[in-house]
Amino acid sequence: MRKTISAAAAGLAVLAASLAAPAAAFANDSAATKPLHLREGLTLRIPSSWKVDASRKDWVRVITGSCPTKGTDTYGFRDSGCHSFWVMGPEAIKVGHELFQKYTPDGPFYPATDVGPCPVGKNLYIGQSKLAAKGLRQVGPGHKAYYRDWAGTCVTMSSYRVKAHYNQREWYLPTSKILVIDQWRTPGLSAILKDATWS
């Protein structure tokens, strides 16, 4: 039993290190990163392998891994399975709550009037969400964002049974009119935002 517990603890330590490693590696290796220049002089250094879709200036999407919806009719904020995070500008913030009301940190970003698809589970739909964490988080020197972590469920449309969970993390800078949204717990993103620069 003791060996099993030790092995499990060692496995968890390796997992934690592997999740933390990307941020540390990116911070120390400029060749492995590229700059992402955003509005109001905000610059993030992101891994070179990440792809940036800036076709809509107020709905910038940073694709961090698999994205099966890219190039299809379902590609957009309300799609399922695309590993990514978003950097929203004023036009997106203006319609960021249910019924297309202006976004505030009081509720998760959800620009819709109906039930949306689950971001992490195909053929599932967004259920209830609860505030899991809140506070202020540094986004580069001299800028603090309202941070919210919304713990959400994904359900079947027929029985409303919970089949999956996800977290929607949000960093909101109201003066700069920037909102970062992450539904995939993107490894290293918190550190990337903390180490951002402004010009």
Side-chain angles (χ1 to χ4, degrees):
M1 182 69 148
R2 190 172 295 154
K3 287 183 180 177
T4 303
I5 291 171
S6 297
L12 288 173
V14 169
L15 176 60
S18 69
L19 290 175
F26 302 150
N28 297 323
D29 184 1
S30 61
T33 66
K34 61 186 176 186
L36 171 57
H37 301 291
L38 299 161
R39 58 175 286 102
E40 299 297 310
L42 175 62
T43 299
L44 308 181
R45 289 214 65 90
I46 61 172
S48 299
S49 60
W50 292 359
K51 311 249 184 310
V52 179
D53 180 351
S55 56
R56 297 172 66 193
K57 69 173 188 168
D58 284 343
W59 298 75
V60 175
R61 189 174 207 173
V62 181
I63 301 171
T64 61
S66 172
C67 187
T69 56
K70 183 86 166 97
T72 71
D73 290 343
T74 58
Y75 177 73
F77 184 75
R78 287 160 42 91
D79 66 9
S80 182
C82 184
H83 292 245
S84 58
F85 67 90
W86 294 83
V87 183
M88 306 300 198
E91 293 304 311
I93 292 167
K94 204 184 293 183
V95 295
H97 272 322
E98 201 164 6
L99 303 176
F100 302 107
Q101 300 297 308
K102 183 179 177 183
Y103 171 84
T104 70
D106 297 332
F109 184 86
Y110 188 76
T113 59
D114 59 357
V115 178
C118 172
V120 300
K122 194 174 179 182
N123 301 322
L124 296 175
Y125 296 86
I126 291 174
Q128 299 295 315
S129 61
K130 292 181 181 177
L131 186 60
K134 67 182 269 189
L136 295 174
R137 296 288 189 275
Q138 200 73 37
V139 178
H143 292 76
K144 286 192 183 288
Y146 290 101
Y147 174 77
R148 301 292 185 266
D149 181 350
W150 298 97
T153 59
C154 294
V155 300
T156 60
M157 188 57 90
S158 56
S159 67
Y160 299 105
R161 290 183 61 195
V162 174
K163 294 289 188 177
H165 294 85
Y166 71 100
N167 284 70
Q168 181 165 305
R169 301 187 299 168
E170 302 176 350
W171 292 258
Y172 180 46
L173 296 147
T175 303
S176 306
K177 294 184 170 58
I178 296 170
L179 172 63
V180 178
I181 304 168
D182 176 32
Q183 297 173 321
W184 290 93
R185 289 191 178 275
T186 302
L189 181 57
S190 293
I192 288 169
L193 291 169
K194 185 177 179 183
D195 294 338
T197 58
W198 297 84
S199 59

